[in-house]
């Protein structure tokens, strides 16, 4: 198998370097000011290649299973972190020699270990290179702080403690108690994850599901929904006066009515689209938020319950005493 270097604008092959990997190559990265290349492959090896001489400088055989991704650091492209389906992420420095251990405990270059699933993707934060994100064989994206980690062997049965976890609200997550050798086809798994150029957002592709964007700077907030009384209090009556209905312009009113008609005819997807068009102009409208939340609940696509809850909580934040928003939020929690 070769590592090919292309000039994409001219569609020109510049070089084909023999990697001597025994199986498919899943990941390649330039290192040492783009003079060299790191490759990870299905044979479980990470190889260090020189571009000018088309030669293999090093071959590291620390991983027990396929190496899916390799990443470099924004401020030091000599430091490499590889991730594998054996559940480990290992760190290498191309400036230092490395000889793989022959002991049962393996090499002492394990930066991250998951005891229950494989690691399918890994990337570093472009603005804070000490932050590492990984996508694994489950629904959870994990973020680690390298400053809090130390290199060890892979003999420990415990998972490395992460800095933060991110998962879609509508997907159930359960820890796997024991590592399974064949744990490569879970119900959901993150096949790719990366930070955006600002380092504030985390983009994840969930295999056989959807794509998610998480705000890694935002703090999670626990929302408690108090039970509403059948008889409104004086405060709630006052709120009904203070929060006057929003007057829509003619175009928005027509689109809203169009959404209502779609909803009444059980065309819930079109109803969601119509209400979303209105919300683009009136994002704080409690009526529109509640209408779209109800349409989400009826449409029942993957993630719709989560989207309905988000709209209901937004409506509650604008008008705390409104019963309909709390009822819809309660329906989501029950489901």
């Amino acid at each position: 198998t070769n590592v090919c270097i292309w000039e994409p604008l001219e569609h020109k092959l510049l070089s084909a370097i023999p990697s001597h990997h025994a199986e498919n190559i899943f990941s390649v990265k330039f290192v040492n000011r783009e003079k060299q290349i790191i490759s990870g492959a299905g044979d479980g090896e990470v190889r260090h290649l020189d571009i000018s001489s088309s030669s293999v400088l090093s071959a590291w055989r620390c991983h027990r299973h396929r190496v899916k991704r390799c990443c470099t650091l924004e401020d030091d492209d000599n430091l490499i972190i590889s991730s594998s389906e054996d559940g480990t992420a290992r760190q290498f420095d191309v400036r230092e020699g490395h000889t793989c251990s022959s002991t049962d405990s393996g090499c002492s270059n394990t930066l991250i270990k998951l005891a229950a699933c494989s690691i399918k993707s890994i990337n570093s934060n472009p603005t804070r290179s000490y932050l590492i994100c990984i996508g694994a064989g489950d629904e959870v994206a994990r973020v680690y702080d390298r400053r809090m980690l130390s290199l060890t062997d892979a003999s420990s049965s415990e998972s490395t403690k992460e800095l933060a976890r991110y998962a879609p609200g509508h997907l159930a997550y359960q820890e796997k108690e024991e590592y399974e050798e064949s744990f490569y086809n879970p119900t959901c798994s993150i096949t790719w994850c990366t930070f955006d150029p600002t380092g504030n957002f985390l983009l994840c592709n969930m295999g056989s599901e959807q794509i998610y964007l998480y705000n890694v700077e935002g703090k999670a907030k626990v929302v408690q929904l108090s039970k509403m009384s059948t008889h409104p209090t004086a405060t709630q009556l006052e709120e009904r006066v203070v929060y006057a209905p929003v007057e829509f312009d003619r175009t928005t009113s027509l689109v809203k009515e169009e959404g209502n008609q779609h909803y009444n005819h059980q065309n819930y997807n079109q109803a969601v689209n119509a209400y979303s068009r209105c919300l683009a102009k009136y994002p704080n409208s409690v009526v529109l938020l509640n209408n779209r939340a109800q349409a989400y609940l009826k449409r029942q696509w993957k993630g719709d319950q989560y989207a309905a809850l988000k709209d209901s909580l937004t409506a509650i934040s604008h008008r705390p005493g409104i019963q309909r928003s709390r009822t819809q939020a309660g329906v989501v929690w029950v489901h």
Side-chain angles (χ1 to χ4, degrees), residues 269-286:
N269 185 41
Q270 291 91 329
V272 167
N273 292 337
Y275 296 139
S276 296
R277 287 162 58 194
C278 297
L279 281 164
K281 195 165 186 178
Y282 297 91
N284 298 330
S285 169
V286 172

Side-chain angles (χ1 to χ4, degrees), residues 74 125-128 194-201:
E74 189 70 24
N125 191 298
T127 59
R128 290 159 290 174
T194 187
F195 291 99
D196 81 312
T198 69
N200 295 331
F201 293 90

Side-chain angles (χ1 to χ4, degrees), residues 86-161:
D86 63 6
T88 66
R90 297 177 181 267
Q91 181 173 294
F92 303 92
D93 192 326
V94 298
R95 297 163 295 192
E96 300 176 358
H98 174 77
T99 301
C100 289
S101 172
S102 59
T103 64
D104 293 337
S105 58
C107 303
S108 297
N109 59 355
T110 302
L111 183 67
I112 299 169
K113 178 179 178 179
L114 297 184
C117 56
S118 60
I119 302 179
K120 297 180 177 294
S121 181
I122 188 166
N123 265 304
S124 64
N125 191 298
T127 59
R128 290 159 290 174
S129 61
Y130 53 85
L131 293 179
I132 300 294
C133 67
I134 67 169
D138 55 24
E139 310 87 22
V140 181
R142 297 165 172 86
V143 174
Y144 297 84
D145 188 334
R146 286 194 306 114
R147 301 171 301 180
M148 302 169 61
L149 306 177
S150 57
L151 298 180
T152 63
D153 59 42
S155 60
S156 173
S157 61
E158 297 182 359
S159 295
T160 307
K161 183 64 177 178

Side-chain angles (χ1 to χ4, degrees), residues 53-79:
S53 63
S54 296
S55 61
V56 178
L57 300 178
S58 302
W60 301 312
R61 303 177 176 87
C62 312
H63 289 291
R64 293 167 46 212
H65 291 295
R66 298 189 297 180
V67 176
K68 298 306 295 284
R69 297 288 183 267
C70 298
C71 78
T72 57
L73 307 182
E74 189 70 24
D75 54 0
D76 186 356
D77 70 348
N78 289 300
L79 204 61

